[in-house]
Amino acid sequence: MNATPLRAALDAAEPKPPSTGEREDKKNYAQRLSNQLAIVLANALRMKYPAITPTADGRQQESRVGVDNGMKRLDVKVTDPTLGLLLNVSVKTYSFQDYGRSKKLGRWTKNIVRNDHELRSEAMVLHQRQPYSVLVAVLFEPFATCDDGNASSKSDVNKSSFAHHVATLSKRSGRGKRPVYGTAERAWVDFGAEDPRYELFERVFIGLYETDGENRGAVRFFDAERPPPRNGRPLERDTLSMEEFVSEVDQEVRRRNRLAPTWAETVSTEEE
């Protein structure tokens, strides 16, 4: 098991400009990092889906799929010649503190609504054409986004940027199921591909990662449908490793497409 699965992607995306740097430099870094992270996720999922793109050497980046108005570029894609688009993993990044007219470093919240709008548009064009596809979004951001709130304040505006991101993106998750309230465990009714809410992803995760030191590239995935801590990092037990994330995604695809049938026991034919 690789303890720092994102290290190679972070290194390959360098040089990283400062948060005070030029917008174009930060945009180019974000694109490089997104491309590298797409390769990492595809490689992690490749044992489950050998034909996934991009390839291990980075070819077929942003592979295309047909939609109503032409073609749509996808970050991580799995298709089946009979079933069509099985899985799309959309990669988003948040790498820089807010820096604007005040010329001061701020929080990490400026572009989160834009990210939500981009995900909404992506879900709509894909699900309208291919409602059986499973769409998973991952927003990668540093663990530092968990630490900029004010734990001593009762005001909601003083929650961490991470908590704000979860609150915003939680509304983009959950297609295919309706939660059942009042139960001790998380439970839902499975609507599957019949869910008419095309604007939603099946799952949304936030990938929190370490940026420096010997743990640079370590990552934990937080399900946006879970309640986040108001301030500070989520508990490790409330997050997923890369291997657990892959398992969750695979289970989602199998549940949607019923790829793994279950069997009942039979009456024993052996004589007593």
Side-chain angles (χ1 to χ4, degrees), residues 107 145-152 157-161 230-232:
R107 288 159 57 77
T145 59
C146 302
D147 303 326
D148 62 351
N150 183 354
S152 64
V157 298
N158 290 307
K159 63 180 179 293
S160 71
S161 293
R230 187 173 177 278
N231 286 285

Side-chain angles (χ1 to χ4, degrees), residues 71-125:
M71 304 296 289
K72 173 71 175 174
R73 294 181 182 273
L74 304 183
D75 296 320
V76 180
K77 184 186 75 172
V78 178
T79 58
D80 180 272
T82 301
L83 300 177
L85 179 65
L86 286 182
L87 171 66
N88 165 47
V89 183
S90 182
V91 177
K92 300 293 182 184
T93 62
Y94 209 128
S95 303
F96 303 99
Q97 283 180 266
D98 301 340
Y99 182 75
R101 296 178 180 177
S102 65
K103 302 300 180 182
K104 294 181 180 180
L105 291 175
R107 288 159 57 77
W108 305 72
T109 58
K110 183 178 180 181
N111 294 320
I112 192 62
V113 173
R114 185 191 70 189
N115 288 333
D116 179 51
H117 290 171
E118 290 174 352
L119 292 175
R120 182 182 189 278
S121 175
E122 184 171 343
M124 286 288 291
V125 297

